[in-house]
């Protein structure tokens, strides 16, 4: 199918005046804040949701449904926004996201909530990549750092306030308002961007790659499901997980063949020949694995190993996320002022690698100050990379490909987060079970039934005050000896968990070390001071 629209180079020549930017940028920031908060705010409301709607066995699908649809649609939105304009698809994504939010709040069953969360993800998939691409349309690469640093900081800010905000809303207004609260903020974002954002679109005929889009969705969906379920819902070697990977590989091979033949592919595989695109994408992918793995397991270490209390796991991560926000903003300013990125990229990834290594050296005797220091070091390293790699990628391609390359980066970051959770989760589980088996005293094995000992293999129970209280009540049934036995068990669990998480963070260190190597391979190309096309050697 062919379509005709207006040339991007012509419309970009009529960039919005500075006073219009004052309205456009807050609208974009609000849109990104909604999508970012959704990833942190919903989790705190889920116990109330389960209590009202039932369906505990479908708990994970509330998050999986959103993750699937918001990830697989990213490349599609990026390519289509290059053809039809960012404004159309950003507003479309916002409307769909808000519709999904409203319907999620009105859900009367878990099935409805899962379906509406999937609809919400269809809209959320447009917000991140298109907002970043719009910044690329409005500012030349040399000026983008100070603005995209703010956009990256939104992610860290949402991680800090999201869990607490979700808990407060759930306690005072009810869980449905976790979704309804999106409406006034989203409507404000719609109003400001809809009235002020120019419609940037393409002027030549295009052939939309429907086959490539279908094959991409068919290939990525089973892969994401396999990584989400492997090691938790099903063993890695189970027929279901292996089958999902086989189906994924089959469709991705067909996708590769289709894209190499397509006139205008959804994800142009020839991009990987670009000497900036490939190492930048790999570095961002690997950093996402380390970053999301840390977000998952640092709260477990602080609360279960060190025994520190927190109102929610998000509060544990506050030092890291504050450093993340600071690094995003300051790094963006440095990038804009210097116009060069390689030294900054290598330095920040090296700092992140050091921070992850410091985490791997923690044990049951680690102090609060040491944990905070290590988190700050990691946050300072990762924060700048979010916007920096985006600008490096955009600087290497002409304006009409901004959506495609920006969405490719976002897409691989999302997949990296899913892959990281699966790989690091498997490392943690296997090592924990191995360590725990060798640390439980024989006298406890003789007294405690095997099924109760098996329950200890899930370390998440040690983060639940209710579960811990139940264990103490059961131990009290054995008299004074029961409390002593429980203390021995808890000590063994803490030691085993500390060792397992050290291996998780050490694995993360190795992954970030590879990201550092990829960063060293990125060529240094001074940031352009205009939105003119880059040298042909870079953009092809």
């Amino acid at each position: 199918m062919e379509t005709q629209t207006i040339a991007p180079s012509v419309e970009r020549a009529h960039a919005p005046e500075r006073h219009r930017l004052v309205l456009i940028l807050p609208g974009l920031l609000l849109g990104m804040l909604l999508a970012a908060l959704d990833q942190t705010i919903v989790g705190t409301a889920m116990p109330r949701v389960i209590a009202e709607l039932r369906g505990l066995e479908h708990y994970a699908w509330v998050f999986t449904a959103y993750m699937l649809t918001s990830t697989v649609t990213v490349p599609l939105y990026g390519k289509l926004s290059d053809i039809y304009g960012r404004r159309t698809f950003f507003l479309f994504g916002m409307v769909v996201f808000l519709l999904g939010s409203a319907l999620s709040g009105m859900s009367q069953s878990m099935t409805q909530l899962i379906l509406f969360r999937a609809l919400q993800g269809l809209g959320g998939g447009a917000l991140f990549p298109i907002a970043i691409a719009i910044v690329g349309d409005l500012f030349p690469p040399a000026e983008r750092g100070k603005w995209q640093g703010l956009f990256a900081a939104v992610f860290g800010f949402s991680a800090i306030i999201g869990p607490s905000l979700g808990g407060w809303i759930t306690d005072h207004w009810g869980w449905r308002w976790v979704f309804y609260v999106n409406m006034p903020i989203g409507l404000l974002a719609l109003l400001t961007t809809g009235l002020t954002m120019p419609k940037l679109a393409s002027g030549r005929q295009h052939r939309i790659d429907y086959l490539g889009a279908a094959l991409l969705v068919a290939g990525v969906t089973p892969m994401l499901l396999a990584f989400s379920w492997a090691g938790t819902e099903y063993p890695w070697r189970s027929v279901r997980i292996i089958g999902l990977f086989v189906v994924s590989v089959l469709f991705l091979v067909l996708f590769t063949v289709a894209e190499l033949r397509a006139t205008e592919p959804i994800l142009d595989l020839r991009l990987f020949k670009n000497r900036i695109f490939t190492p930048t994408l790999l570095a961002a992918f690997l950093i996402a694995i380390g970053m999301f793995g840390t977000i998952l397991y640092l709260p477990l270490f602080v609360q279960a190993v060190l025994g520190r209390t927190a109102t929610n796991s998000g509060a544990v991560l506050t030092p890291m996320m504050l450093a993340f926000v600071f690094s995003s903003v300051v790094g963006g300013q440095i990038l804009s002022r210097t116009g060069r990125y390689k030294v900054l990229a290598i330095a920040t990834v090296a700092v992140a690698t050091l921070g992850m290594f410091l985490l791997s050296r923690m044990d049951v005797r680690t102090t609060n100050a040491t944990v905070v220091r290590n988190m700050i070091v990691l946050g300072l390293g990762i924060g700048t990379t979010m916007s920096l790699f985006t600008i490096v990628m955009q600087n290497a391609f002409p304006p009409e490909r901004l959506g495609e390359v920006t969405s490719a980066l976002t897409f691989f970051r999302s997949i990296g987060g899913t892959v990281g959770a699966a790989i690091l989760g498997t490392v943690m589980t296997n090592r924990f079970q191995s360590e725990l088996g060798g640390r439980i005293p024989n006298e406890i094995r003789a007294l405690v039934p095997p099924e109760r000992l098996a329950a200890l293999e899930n370390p998440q129970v040690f983060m639940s005050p209710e579960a811990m209280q139940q264990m103490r009540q059961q131990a009290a049934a054995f008299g004074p000896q029961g409390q002593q036995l429980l203390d021995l068990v808890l000590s063994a669990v803490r030691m085993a968990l500390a060792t397992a998480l050290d291996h998780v963070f050490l694995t993360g260190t190795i992954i970030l070390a590879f990201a550092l190597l990829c960063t060293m391979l990125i060529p240094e190309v001074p940031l352009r001071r205009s939105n003119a096309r880059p040298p042909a050697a870079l953009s092809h």
Side-chain angles (χ1 to χ4, degrees), residues 309-323:
T309 58
T311 53
N312 54 67
S313 60
V316 174
L317 297 170
T318 297
M320 184 178 111
M321 288 305 173
L322 286 174

Side-chain angles (χ1 to χ4, degrees), residues 235-253:
W236 279 89
R237 296 182 182 180
S238 65
V239 173
R240 184 163 301 192
I241 297 301
I242 294 174
L244 286 170
F245 278 125
V246 170
V247 171
S248 175
V249 169
L250 174 63
F251 278 109
L252 289 178
V253 168

Side-chain angles (χ1 to χ4, degrees), residues 298-338:
L298 254 178
L300 182 61
F301 184 92
V302 171
Q303 293 176 256
V305 175
L306 301 184
R308 311 291 189 261
T309 58
T311 53
N312 54 67
S313 60
V316 174
L317 297 170
T318 297
M320 184 178 111
M321 288 305 173
L322 286 174
F324 180 99
V325 171
F326 176 82
S327 177
S328 298
V329 175
V330 174
Q333 292 291 333
I334 293 173
L335 190 61
S336 290
R337 291 176 186 276
T338 62

Side-chain angles (χ1 to χ4, degrees), residues 140-144 274-277 279-280 334-336 338-346 388-398 519-530 532-540:
E143 294 184 28
R144 288 175 201 162
N274 183 285
R275 58 197 181 96
I276 289 179
F277 182 88
T280 304
I334 293 173
L335 190 61
S336 290
T338 62
R340 294 186 174 274
Y341 53 77
K342 184 156 187 175
V343 172
L344 184 61
I346 292 174
L388 187 147
F389 286 139
T390 302
I391 295 169
V392 170
M393 189 86 83
Q394 292 177 343
N395 188 59
F397 292 91
T519 304
M520 292 177 179
L521 297 177
I522 301 173
E524 173 77 271
V525 178
L527 299 181
R528 288 175 282 122
R529 298 287 174 181
S530 70
R533 295 177 65 88
L538 290 179
S539 57
H540 292 85

Side-chain angles (χ1 to χ4, degrees), residues 269-501:
L269 301 181
R270 289 178 287 269
L271 291 173
F272 288 93
K273 295 180 180 180
N274 183 285
R275 58 197 181 96
I276 289 179
F277 182 88
T278 301
T280 304
L281 199 70
L282 283 174
F285 174 77
L286 293 170
I287 289 171
I289 293 177
M291 176 180 173
F292 286 99
T294 304
I295 290 174
L296 279 175
Y297 294 111
L298 254 178
L300 182 61
F301 184 92
V302 171
Q303 293 176 256
V305 175
L306 301 184
R308 311 291 189 261
T309 58
T311 53
N312 54 67
S313 60
V316 174
L317 297 170
T318 297
M320 184 178 111
M321 288 305 173
L322 286 174
F324 180 99
V325 171
F326 176 82
S327 177
S328 298
V329 175
V330 174
Q333 292 291 333
I334 293 173
L335 190 61
S336 290
R337 291 176 186 276
T338 62
R340 294 186 174 274
Y341 53 77
K342 184 156 187 175
V343 172
L344 184 61
I346 292 174
T348 51
V349 178
V351 170
T353 307
L354 173 62
M356 189 69 79
F357 176 74
L358 291 174
L359 291 177
S360 74
R361 307 301 297 168
M362 298 190 303
D363 57 29
V364 294
R365 298 179 299 275
T366 300
T367 64
N368 284 342
T370 301
V371 175
V372 170
R373 180 204 66 188
N374 297 346
M375 284 195 285
I376 289 174
V377 172
L378 182 62
L380 289 174
I382 290 178
T384 299
T385 65
M386 294 293 288
S387 59
L388 187 147
F389 286 139
T390 302
I391 295 169
V392 170
M393 189 86 83
Q394 292 177 343
N395 188 59
F397 292 91
E400 61 267 24
R401 304 197 76 170
L402 276 184
E404 184 178 10
V405 297
T406 303
S407 63
L409 188 62
T410 304
F411 178 64
F412 277 90
R413 275 175 169 156
S414 298
I415 292 178
T418 304
V419 172
I423 293 175
L424 297 180
T426 299
V427 170
M428 194 279 294
T429 301
N430 291 342
R431 190 68 188 185
F432 175 65
Q433 292 176 355
S434 173
E435 289 286 329
L436 185 62
R439 292 178 183 274
I440 296 293
N442 291 330
E443 58 265 36
I444 293 178
R445 293 184 183 278
L447 291 173
V448 181
E451 61 272 13
R452 291 194 177 180
L453 284 177
L456 300 176
E457 294 180 358
N458 177 16
Q460 294 290 343
V461 301
F462 299 98
M463 296 177 65
S464 168
E466 294 80 7
M468 290 298 298
Q469 181 62 29
Q470 184 179 7
M471 290 176 64
R472 296 190 185 282
Q473 290 174 352
Q474 292 173 349
F478 292 93
Q481 184 186 13
Q483 185 59 50
Q484 294 177 357
L485 292 176
L486 179 60
D487 290 340
L488 286 174
V489 170
L490 293 179
S491 177
V493 169
R494 289 175 60 203
M495 296 290 291
L497 192 55
T499 301
L501 290 175

Side-chain angles (χ1 to χ4, degrees), residues 17-300:
E17 300 86 352
R18 292 286 172 172
H19 70 272
R20 292 180 66 188
L21 295 178
V22 174
L23 295 176
I24 295 174
L25 292 175
L28 297 177
L29 285 168
L30 285 174
M32 286 191 67
L33 180 63
L34 282 179
L37 276 176
D38 188 83
Q39 299 179 36
T40 58
I41 198 174
V42 174
T44 54
M46 285 308 297
R48 299 284 182 87
V49 174
I50 296 297
E52 181 173 332
L53 301 183
R54 311 299 178 187
L56 178 62
E57 66 275 14
H58 303 306
Y59 177 94
W61 272 104
V62 175
F63 304 96
T64 302
Y66 183 92
M67 179 270 293
L68 284 176
T69 54
S70 64
T71 300
V72 300
T73 53
V74 165
L76 313 183
Y77 282 127
K79 183 66 176 182
L80 293 174
S81 73
D82 280 339
I83 297 174
Y84 295 106
R86 320 275 185 235
R87 178 176 178 270
T88 300
F89 283 93
F90 185 80
L91 296 180
F92 172 79
M94 181 67 72
V95 169
V96 173
F97 181 86
L98 293 178
L99 177 62
S101 297
L103 292 173
S104 295
M106 292 187 287
S107 298
Q108 299 302 311
S109 68
M110 283 295 287
T111 301
Q112 288 183 6
L113 180 59
I114 291 167
L115 291 174
F116 295 146
R117 283 283 288 166
L119 176 64
Q120 194 181 16
L122 285 176
L127 301 182
F128 272 116
I130 295 182
I132 296 299
I134 289 171
V135 175
D137 289 328
L138 300 177
F139 302 98
E143 294 184 28
R144 288 175 201 162
K146 56 189 176 184
W147 299 109
Q148 290 192 358
L150 290 175
F151 280 75
V154 166
F155 179 85
F157 178 71
S158 66
I160 295 171
I161 69 167
S164 299
L165 181 61
W168 188 90
I169 291 173
T170 303
D171 290 340
H172 291 82
W173 297 348
W175 68 264
R176 296 181 186 276
W177 279 94
V178 167
F179 299 102
Y180 293 151
V181 76
N182 291 333
M183 306 307 293
I185 301 174
L187 290 174
L188 180 61
L190 271 176
L191 182 65
T192 55
T193 53
L195 294 177
T196 60
M197 190 188 303
K199 183 180 179 181
L200 308 175
S202 164
R204 57 189 179 84
Q205 289 187 334
H206 292 271
R207 184 177 296 276
I208 299 176
D209 182 20
Y210 292 111
L211 176 61
L215 290 173
L216 179 64
V217 172
V220 172
T221 299
M223 179 184 67
L224 291 174
L225 284 174
F227 278 116
S228 297
W229 289 343
T232 53
E233 300 290 328
Y234 308 98
W236 279 89
R237 296 182 182 180
S238 65
V239 173
R240 184 163 301 192
I241 297 301
I242 294 174
L244 286 170
F245 278 125
V246 170
V247 171
S248 175
V249 169
L250 174 63
F251 278 109
L252 289 178
V253 168
L254 294 175
F255 168 75
T256 301
V257 173
E259 295 303 272
L260 291 175
R261 295 179 178 180
T263 305
E264 290 192 64
I266 286 289
L267 180 60
D268 191 348
L269 301 181
R270 289 178 287 269
L271 291 173
F272 288 93
K273 295 180 180 180
N274 183 285
R275 58 197 181 96
I276 289 179
F277 182 88
T278 301
T280 304
L281 199 70
L282 283 174
F285 174 77
L286 293 170
I287 289 171
I289 293 177
M291 176 180 173
F292 286 99
T294 304
I295 290 174
L296 279 175
Y297 294 111
L298 254 178
L300 182 61

